[in-house]
Amino acid sequence: VLRDLAPEHPRVVVSHHGTRSVQEAILDCSLFATDWSSTFFDAAYAGRPVVLTPFDEAEYRARQYAKGYTDGEDLGFGPVARTVPGALAAIKRYVERDFEREPGFSAAVDSFFAHRDGKNCARVIGAIERVLEGRAPAVELPAVELEEVALAA
């Protein structure tokens, strides 16, 4: 279906999961547009401008996934376009700006990700090792968060 919508142009590439990984596609792209995929987090982290296109929000919420802790829009990583003309306008703005993310969206991304230094794996491994060795500090979650976790499970 997407191949029918994408224009024939040397700078427009429609990826298929069988030809390259999502990670490769994100790193190769100048702009990342998606509907409901959480890969928008990866694209934003990688410094790519993001356009969220939840065209079928009511149907998606009713049939597939109730709203979680975020719907993407509240994070402010990029424009949200609920119509095809809106999505095309947002994409056109990025093309005209040579795919430079607006300062407000960049600030939102920067404030969301605490670390962007390429050392996240080392931090996770270190935290797991501390837990396994009994050196991890005790963490108490507020009762509200515990209730939300219990409801989510």
Side-chain angles (χ1 to χ4, degrees):
V1 173
L2 183 56
R3 289 196 187 283
D4 297 332
L5 298 174
E8 288 288 329
H9 192 281
R11 292 185 66 187
V12 175
V13 178
V14 176
S15 292
H16 184 273
H17 63 83
T19 59
R20 67 179 173 170
S21 71
V22 172
Q23 293 82 5
E24 290 171 324
I26 288 171
L27 293 176
D28 289 346
C29 75
S30 299
L31 172 103
F32 192 78
T34 186
D35 54 359
W36 296 104
S37 174
S38 62
T39 52
F40 77 87
F41 283 101
D42 300 301
Y45 183 85
R48 303 306 183 263
V50 173
V51 176
L52 298 174
T53 57
F55 299 142
D56 60 345
E57 185 169 12
E59 179 181 344
Y60 180 79
R61 296 286 180 221
R63 293 184 174 189
Q64 294 186 36
Y65 189 73
K67 185 176 178 190
Y69 71 93
T70 182
D71 59 7
E73 183 172 15
D74 56 345
L75 296 174
F77 289 179
V80 177
R82 289 188 165 75
T83 64
V84 172
L88 294 175
I91 292 167
K92 182 179 178 187
R93 281 193 305 275
Y94 277 117
V95 171
E96 291 168 348
R97 295 172 50 98
D98 198 29
F99 301 99
E100 181 182 333
R101 191 166 47 198
E102 292 92 331
F105 296 142
S106 290
V109 170
D110 291 343
S111 70
F112 184 83
F113 296 106
H115 304 285
R116 294 184 63 180
D117 57 6
K119 298 178 184 177
N120 289 333
C121 289
R123 274 188 286 280
V124 170
I125 290 169
I128 291 169
E129 288 173 342
R130 286 189 299 279
V131 167
L132 293 175
E133 295 167 359
R135 296 185 293 121
V139 177
E140 291 188 35
L141 296 175
V144 173
E145 289 187 30
L146 289 174
E147 291 172 12
E148 290 174 5
V149 170
L151 290 174

